[in-house]
Amino acid sequence: MVLLGIILGGAFALRVWGLRFGLPYVYHFDEHFYVATAVKLGRGILNNPPFAPVGLANILFLEYGAYFLISRLSGWVGSAAEFEANYRFDPSFFFYLARLTSAFLGTLTVGLVYRLGNSLFGRRGGFIAAVLLATSFLHVRDSHFGVPDIPMAFFTVATTAAALAAHRSGRLRHLIVAGLLAGVAVSVKWTAAPITLVVGMAGLFQAWDQSSPRSWTTVLVSRPVWTAVAATIAGFILSAPQVVINPLPYFIEAFDQAASGGAGGFNWWQVDTVSGWIFYLKVLYQGLGAAVWAAGLAGFLIFSYRMIRERDRARFLVLLFPLSYYLIMGITRHYFARYSLPLIPFWMLFVTEGFALIFPIFPGRSARHSGEKIRLSLPAALILIALIGQPLASALRTNWLLTREDTRTQAKAWIEANIPERSRIAISWETHVPPLSSLRNPDPRSTRIYDVSAVRDIGLPRWPLDWYRRHGYDYFIVSSFIENIQVIDPVVARVRAAFYQNLARELVLVAEFAPARQPLPFVFDEIYGPFVSHWQRERPGPRLKIYRFEYEADP
């Protein structure tokens, strides 16, 4: 198992390098929702809007509780109030713990993929699948973020592994574990719901094999089926008790979120115009690299064919979640690249299946044992290196970028050195501009306080320039992350384009901070971190332009 340890160690190193990006400022738009919810749980606030899935926040609450106990026993803090005050002054460690949780669970997912690969193809196949996931660019990148996507992917893969073990062993305890894990997966992110199908099918297979006489009526009321259902419900209740206590706001929020993505984006914004199924295939192409994408697509077809031809229940259980998840997410037209993350571990199993077609390196089931030697022919080893080369290089480049100072941090330092205190500044969404200390939200780490107004919805073009003049604004901060997003309404799109074109003519550009020497092509997912432009970038962050209003001197 030394080789597996090396793979897992490398996977973890890739996922923790650059983990402190941006801190003490938080530049991922969604991270603060889950960290704040976990912290508020410590104050007894069970239901914290927005009513997002609470599974990750509850995991973080346990981690923060342990951190508090260690801090209290060691004398670092004297009370819960002091602990909370430290969080408000500098929440860096809380966000770092959230990110470390993603990195750790992302690494464990590599181990689970090895287990699934070993079960399906033998140890060599398990190692190949693990190496492919360990070096997967998109999986590595998003393992740096303290949000639910990587944890949800971990729990769905863990559920699948447990369901497969339950099917092969026929033991209820494996089925119970699978159900508990499925309940946790759904609590971490509602879109994990298709994983319950895997647990249900494992229960049905187990019941069918154990029933005598066999009939659907007997199977449906059998112990394995109801054990699977009860364990899944128990897993959800244990990991999301506040949803069970007060479900209505969570259901309302879930329906609102689903409805907001009906035009290939989110609310005003349009991420893409293609169908959902094409969008997620395109994201996988961008996030996995051309070679892994093509090999996985071919491997999926082979995997499906063998499942049907051999009536292979194991392959069916492995295929059930990614296929149903992909079909459902393609219908929603709620487009985010991170929604493809649960597909990636299974994609690596499909790549392994395709790999085996070219190089018959895997033994049959009877030959799988712990003493199997891990050897590849030279051509097979070269093909594997070629497959991981592009995503690994992209992951390394992105990690290096995350260690560089963000353009928003650069701009903040310049603003505090050059713009007078209390100046009135208009910005778009706060996460995508410099983190300034404002009258409404003072920051003790900042040297100056400004009168900052955040204009959300469509951003600064919500009002004409004359409106800002009448209200006495001194400066504009324009972020490329907001300027370049497409909007659904064509009229609004024209208004936005005209507004930004007029800025250079009517205002004075006093400073600009760019992540690259040349303007970068905009892809929506870059607002979270480098995605397709990591080779053109010199640092993370948007292109920021700071404009000054000029007023005629009073007579």
Side-chain angles (χ1 to χ4, degrees), residues 154-197:
F154 163 77
F155 284 109
T156 55
V157 176
T159 301
T160 303
L164 187 57
H167 167 59
R168 286 188 166 158
S169 70
R171 295 176 179 174
L172 279 179
R173 70 167 181 261
H174 290 148
L175 198 58
I176 292 171
V177 171
L180 291 171
L181 290 169
V184 176
V186 177
S187 78
V188 170
K189 198 156 188 178
W190 310 140
T191 51
I195 195 62
T196 59
L197 298 175

Side-chain angles (χ1 to χ4, degrees), residues 53-395:
V54 297
L56 176 61
N58 290 345
I59 293 171
L60 296 180
F61 168 68
L62 296 177
E63 295 177 8
Y64 296 162
Y67 175 41
F68 169 70
L69 289 177
I70 293 171
S71 300
R72 189 76 173 83
L73 293 173
S74 63
W76 296 341
V77 298
S79 64
E82 184 181 350
F83 185 74
E84 184 178 355
N86 289 344
Y87 164 77
R88 296 190 180 282
F89 179 76
D90 185 358
S92 295
F93 190 70
F94 292 83
F95 283 91
Y96 183 79
L97 270 181
R99 295 173 182 177
L100 189 61
T101 300
S102 282
F104 180 69
L105 293 178
T107 302
L108 288 184
T109 309
V110 175
L112 288 172
V113 165
Y114 163 77
R115 182 180 178 88
L116 283 172
N118 182 28
S119 179
L120 292 168
F121 311 115
R123 292 183 69 222
R124 279 173 283 190
F127 280 115
I128 288 172
V131 168
L132 289 166
L133 183 61
T135 56
S136 173
F137 160 65
L138 188 57
H139 197 271
V140 168
R141 189 199 72 154
D142 280 53
S143 292
H144 287 75
F145 305 150
V147 293
D149 304 281
I150 290 293
M152 177 257 210
F154 163 77
F155 284 109
T156 55
V157 176
T159 301
T160 303
L164 187 57
H167 167 59
R168 286 188 166 158
S169 70
R171 295 176 179 174
L172 279 179
R173 70 167 181 261
H174 290 148
L175 198 58
I176 292 171
V177 171
L180 291 171
L181 290 169
V184 176
V186 177
S187 78
V188 170
K189 198 156 188 178
W190 310 140
T191 51
I195 195 62
T196 59
L197 298 175
V198 179
V199 181
M201 287 306 304
L204 285 171
F205 287 153
Q206 197 172 110
W208 185 262
D209 291 339
Q210 296 173 4
S211 295
S212 180
R214 290 175 177 172
S215 70
W216 283 112
T217 302
T218 305
V219 168
L220 291 175
V221 298
S222 65
R223 189 178 179 187
V225 170
W226 288 106
T227 297
V229 172
T232 302
I233 294 173
F236 183 82
I237 292 173
L238 290 172
S239 56
Q242 56 267 63
V243 178
V244 179
I245 295 169
N246 185 22
L248 184 59
Y250 293 96
F251 282 122
I252 293 174
E253 180 75 13
F255 284 121
D256 287 345
Q257 291 291 319
S260 68
F266 187 78
N267 290 333
W268 287 94
W269 315 118
Q270 187 167 61
V271 177
D272 211 320
T273 58
V274 299
S275 72
W277 300 296
I278 298 299
F279 173 77
Y280 288 109
L281 286 177
K282 182 167 72 172
V283 165
L284 289 171
Y285 179 85
Q286 294 167 327
L288 301 180
V292 173
W293 182 85
L297 201 58
F300 164 76
L301 297 175
I302 301 165
F303 195 95
S304 303
Y305 172 74
R306 291 192 62 185
M307 176 193 72
I308 296 169
R309 188 190 67 180
E310 300 171 14
R311 297 184 179 181
D312 190 338
R313 290 180 179 179
R315 277 184 166 79
F316 178 76
L317 289 174
V318 171
L319 183 62
L320 184 55
F321 171 75
L323 184 59
S324 57
Y325 178 85
Y326 170 73
L327 292 175
I328 292 170
M329 294 308 299
I331 294 171
T332 63
R333 294 198 56 124
H334 200 165
Y335 293 174
F336 289 102
R338 62 180 180 269
Y339 289 174
S340 69
L341 286 167
L343 299 173
I344 292 176
F346 298 95
W347 198 273
M348 301 315 170
L349 295 173
F350 302 150
V351 174
T352 306
E353 181 83 87
F355 199 94
L357 182 68
I358 303 173
F359 299 100
I361 57 172
F362 308 135
R365 290 184 182 176
S366 61
R368 286 195 299 265
H369 55 82
S370 59
E372 177 190 328
K373 295 182 179 180
I374 310 302
R375 292 179 180 175
L376 294 178
S377 65
L378 180 59
L382 292 176
I383 291 292
L384 181 60
I385 292 171
L387 285 172
I388 69 173
Q390 180 184 350
L392 177 59
S394 296

